[in-house]
Amino acid sequence: MNRMYRVTLFTLIVLCLLAFTAKGQTVSFVAKANAKQVVLGNHFEVSFILTNANGNGFQAPLFKDFKQVSGKNVRTNASAINGKWERSTTFSYYLQPKKKGTLRIGSAVIRVDGKVYKTKPLQIEVVEGKQKTDGEVEQIFAKAVLSTNEAVAGQQVILDYKVYFAVNIDRYGIVEEPSFSGLFVSQIRRFNGQVIKEVIDGVQYGTKIIKRLAIYPQQSGQLTIDPITIRVAVPINDNSPTSPFTLLRPTQSFILETEPVVLDVKPLPEPVPTSFSGAVGSYTATAVLDKTRATTDDAITLSLTVSGDGDIKRVTAPELILSDTFEVYDPNTKAENEGERNGALFGGKTFEYLILPKIPGAYEIAPEFSYFDPDSSKFVILKPARFQVNIRQGKNNTNVNVKPVEPEKPKEEIRFIKTTASLKSLSGFVGSLPFWLCIILPFLILGGAASYRYVQSKKPPVDPIAEKSRLAMKVAKNRLSGAEEFLKGKNLRSFYDETSKALLGYVIDKFNIPGSELTKSNVKSKLEQSGANGEHISRFMEIIGTCERAVYAGGTDGDARKVYNDAINVIADIEM
């Protein structure tokens, strides 16, 4: 008896604490259904959820077009999110539609501290069920579902792997994942993983998202996402409709494989704004200037923060365009962060510009940031702020307040006047070698210049494409030198990215391929047409594949130093 009293007292204390912490938080009362479509004769669940409050006088809507299978079911849940407690009460019902069509579920009502809260009405589409015969209906299958089938490079696309089932499921697991060639991939861990009912070809299935990815295409063209393999455990001798995932029952394993999906990646439209630096998606920008009054001895710091749902790693600092009265140093990336919001990835970057004023006066500093919005298919130019800056003359400016140099005074202030004069004869210079050189040298210079121009005019004009092809190897080696710096700094993702760009840039320069037409098959075809050795081509393509896996899928096949050495050697071998 004493133990039961302690348990009851503890429960009351917890409920009081939850009620106290709920005060001051936002109160919400919403309605949700676990199905958008329902087959006539099947049932679904509708829930009315009160959050961060204790309510009374709950009234459910009239379910006039539905048969109430069970309910009212009441459950209370408490959870801590980011250190804050959240308490919710759910009133749920299982309903069965009585007829076909779009049926309406009205508003539920509850009272909280004297205030009445109502939910928004719901609409449920009820369809005719398909007449099933033995072996006609697929009981369980998987799909890869893209949020959009068309995108541009750098745009975030959500990829959901979903399981559809008309029987109970106990467990599932991913057996094999694709390589995601040409895509940068990041996993999303917080999303709605509840079972949702959907109707496909007149058959009602339970669906569950088992994995969600944010994928960012890195190049234009059609990118194919290979199938994923999933193992699913189904209870034996259990053909009832969908139900919650359960354990400790005899099961039978099934291997499911999704169909390949194709993402059509379009190039960015022209013209591209000068302030565009690779941002694709929906972005915001803010700017902060540390001072608006300064002297020519001071340095001014401008901080530009951008955030959005695109590939934030792809975004670089936009160019800060100022007049010649300022000297602007290369910007630094001071902060970079990435998180999840509403089932998608969201990131931000802060760029810092160091500005040195050179000339006094009143000026305006107006940074710009532009991004491509896939929804409107247009570039958006953001001007987060306009700063009016007053610059005064500093003390250490060497261009002003320079004292003139006074001429040196003669040692004797009074000189005696000479009464006699002597003239020097020039007869020794006239006719001498220096004399004739002074006469002939200008004619030699003019004649040489005319001859040089004549010879140059006879030479064929330099073909810029041929010159670019000739210097392709030199440019590639310079880029590989930059990749080696990333390798020394142990920044492996940037190393593999720069190595891949060096190899692909070599092919672009060598064979004059537009970047929009750059594909693996095109690269291999151009190398073969150039007469390159088949072994060298295989090594070249293997290195590109290794770099892609490292950059986009997060995996490597070996030592990074070996990849760097192989990249240098294979370019040299192809050039031979």
Side-chain angles (χ1 to χ4, degrees):
M1 188 71 179
N2 191 25
R3 181 182 178 185
M4 183 178 296
Y5 173 79
R6 288 198 301 269
V7 172
T8 304
L9 181 61
F10 176 78
T11 303
L12 290 173
I13 292 173
V14 170
L15 291 175
C16 290
L17 288 173
L18 290 174
F20 177 78
T21 55
K23 288 186 176 182
Q25 294 179 311
T26 303
V27 177
S28 66
F29 188 43
V30 297
K32 293 183 178 180
N34 71 339
K36 298 177 182 179
Q37 289 181 317
V38 180
V39 173
L40 185 64
N42 285 3
H43 64 272
F44 67 99
E45 182 183 27
V46 61
S47 302
F48 306 95
I49 306 167
L50 176 66
T51 306
N52 295 328
N54 290 319
N56 56 73
F58 171 80
Q59 294 181 8
L62 297 176
F63 304 119
K64 60 180 181 179
D65 294 327
F66 303 87
K67 176 184 177 182
Q68 186 172 320
V69 179
S70 70
K72 159 180 80 172
N73 306 307
V74 183
R75 60 183 182 271
T76 301
N77 182 55
S79 60
I81 301 176
N82 296 329
K84 294 183 179 180
W85 280 94
E86 185 178 272
R87 179 175 181 267
S88 64
T89 303
T90 303
F91 308 88
S92 62
Y93 300 82
Y94 278 90
L95 306 177
Q96 187 178 46
K98 298 178 181 178
K99 59 181 182 180
K100 295 186 298 179
T102 301
L103 306 184
R104 184 177 183 272
I105 298 176
S107 301
V109 178
I110 199 168
R111 189 178 298 274
V112 177
D113 295 334
K115 184 177 179 180
V116 176
Y117 287 81
K118 291 184 177 181
T119 61
K120 292 182 179 180
L122 297 176
Q123 287 187 337
I124 303 296
E125 184 180 0
V126 182
V127 297
E128 183 69 39
K130 183 179 179 182
Q131 297 296 324
K132 295 178 286 186
T133 59
D134 292 341
E136 183 181 0
V137 176
E138 195 172 7
Q139 295 293 306
I140 181 170
F141 60 94
K143 276 188 176 183
V145 181
L146 293 171
S147 60
T148 179
N149 293 319
E150 291 187 357
V152 296
Q155 177 183 347
Q156 180 177 177
V157 179
I158 301 300
L159 173 61
D160 286 333
Y161 289 110
K162 298 175 67 174
V163 175
Y164 296 72
F165 47 92
V167 294
N168 288 346
I169 292 180
D170 273 358
R171 295 177 300 279
Y172 61 87
I174 296 175
V175 179
E176 184 178 1
E177 297 191 42
S179 59
F180 299 106
S181 177
L183 299 165
F184 172 63
V185 180
S186 185
Q187 184 172 352
I188 299 175
R189 302 189 181 279
R190 295 196 297 271
F191 58 88
N192 183 8
Q194 296 180 345
V195 175
I196 303 296
K197 295 186 178 181
E198 295 183 23
V199 177
I200 300 177
D201 296 332
V203 179
Q204 181 162 295
Y205 291 92
T207 68
K208 183 178 178 66
I209 300 173
I210 63 173
K211 189 167 188 174
R212 170 168 287 185
L213 300 174
I215 61 176
Y216 301 92
Q218 303 295 302
Q219 61 192 47
S220 59
Q222 289 194 335
L223 303 180
T224 301
I225 301 175
D226 295 330
I228 190 173
T229 305
I230 305 168
R231 179 185 287 111
V232 176
V234 176
I236 298 176
N237 299 326
D238 187 356
N239 295 319
S240 59
T242 59
S243 66
F245 289 66
T246 56
L247 298 171
L248 303 178
R249 286 189 291 181
T251 59
Q252 180 180 359
S253 293
F254 292 87
I255 298 297
L256 309 178
E257 188 175 84
T258 62
E259 293 290 335
V261 291
V262 177
L263 180 62
D264 189 10
V265 185
K266 305 290 186 182
L268 291 174
E270 298 289 345
V272 178
T274 55
S275 57
F276 180 70
S277 58
V280 177
S282 178
Y283 280 82
T284 59
T286 58
V288 177
L289 199 68
D290 68 336
K291 58 174 73 74
T292 57
R293 294 180 180 272
T295 69
T296 54
D297 299 333
D298 298 329
I300 302 174
T301 301
L302 172 68
S303 297
L304 178 65
T305 300
V306 299
S307 56
D309 59 3
D311 185 0
I312 199 65
K313 298 183 183 299
R314 186 186 182 93
V315 180
T316 58
E319 183 181 0
L320 181 62
I321 301 176
L322 298 177
S323 65
D324 293 338
T325 55
F326 293 94
E327 183 177 354
V328 182
Y329 286 84
D330 291 338
N332 296 320
T333 302
K334 301 300 293 184
E336 180 177 336
N337 58 78
E338 194 173 52
E340 296 182 15
R341 181 185 297 180
N342 299 326
L345 290 185
F346 191 89
K349 265 185 179 180
T350 298
F351 305 107
E352 190 174 88
Y353 301 81
L354 187 64
I355 306 169
L356 299 181
K358 298 189 291 185
I359 301 175
Y363 305 100
E364 181 181 78
I365 297 178
E368 289 187 3
F369 174 77
S370 61
Y371 65 93
F372 181 76
D373 183 7
D375 293 334
S376 62
S377 298
K378 294 180 180 179
F379 287 98
V380 179
I381 299 177
L382 301 179
K383 299 180 179 180
R386 293 181 178 272
F387 302 102
Q388 303 300 324
V389 181
N390 292 314
I391 305 299
R392 294 179 290 105
Q393 177 61 50
K395 297 180 179 180
N396 298 323
N397 194 322
T398 59
N399 296 325
V400 294
N401 296 333
V402 179
K403 294 183 179 181
V405 179
E406 296 183 359
E408 186 179 351
K409 292 183 179 180
K411 295 181 179 179
E412 297 181 0
E413 294 186 359
I414 300 176
R415 295 180 180 267
F416 293 102
I417 299 174
K418 291 185 177 182
T419 57
T420 60
S422 59
L423 298 177
K424 293 184 178 180
S425 175
L426 297 177
S427 60
F429 174 72
V430 178
S432 63
L433 180 61
F435 172 80
W436 290 111
L437 286 176
C438 291
I439 296 297
I440 299 173
L441 189 60
F443 295 98
L444 292 176
I445 294 174
L446 291 174
S451 301
Y452 176 78
R453 291 186 62 182
Y454 177 78
V455 172
Q456 291 297 320
S457 65
K458 293 298 181 182
K459 289 184 177 180
V462 177
D463 185 358
I465 296 177
E467 185 71 7
K468 191 176 182 181
S469 176
R470 186 178 66 84
L471 298 174
M473 180 178 179
K474 182 178 179 181
V475 174
K477 285 190 174 181
N478 288 338
R479 297 203 72 163
L480 286 173
S481 298
E484 187 180 24
E485 294 300 320
F486 288 121
L487 180 59
K488 292 178 181 178
K490 297 183 179 180
N491 188 348
L492 292 183
R493 182 171 185 255
S494 297
F495 162 73
Y496 284 108
D497 187 34
E498 194 67 18
T499 302
S500 176
K501 289 178 180 177
L503 294 177
L504 295 176
Y506 168 76
V507 176
I508 290 174
D509 294 343
K510 188 71 177 176
F511 306 108
N512 190 31
I513 304 176
S516 59
E517 300 177 6
L518 190 67
T519 62
K520 280 187 176 181
S521 60
N522 206 357
V523 169
K524 187 175 181 181
S525 174
K526 289 293 183 181
L527 289 173
E528 290 173 348
Q529 293 174 12
S530 70
N533 183 281
E535 181 184 352
H536 299 161
I537 296 174
S538 299
R539 287 166 52 203
F540 190 93
M541 302 305 297
E542 182 180 352
I543 296 171
I544 290 179
T546 300
C547 293
E548 284 184 347
R549 286 190 293 274
V551 175
Y552 306 132
T556 62
D557 290 331
D559 181 47
R561 172 60 65 176
K562 181 178 181 299
V563 172
Y564 171 76
N565 293 332
D566 288 346
I568 291 179
N569 294 332
V570 76
I571 292 177
D573 292 340
I574 292 174
E575 284 285 324
M576 293 179 60

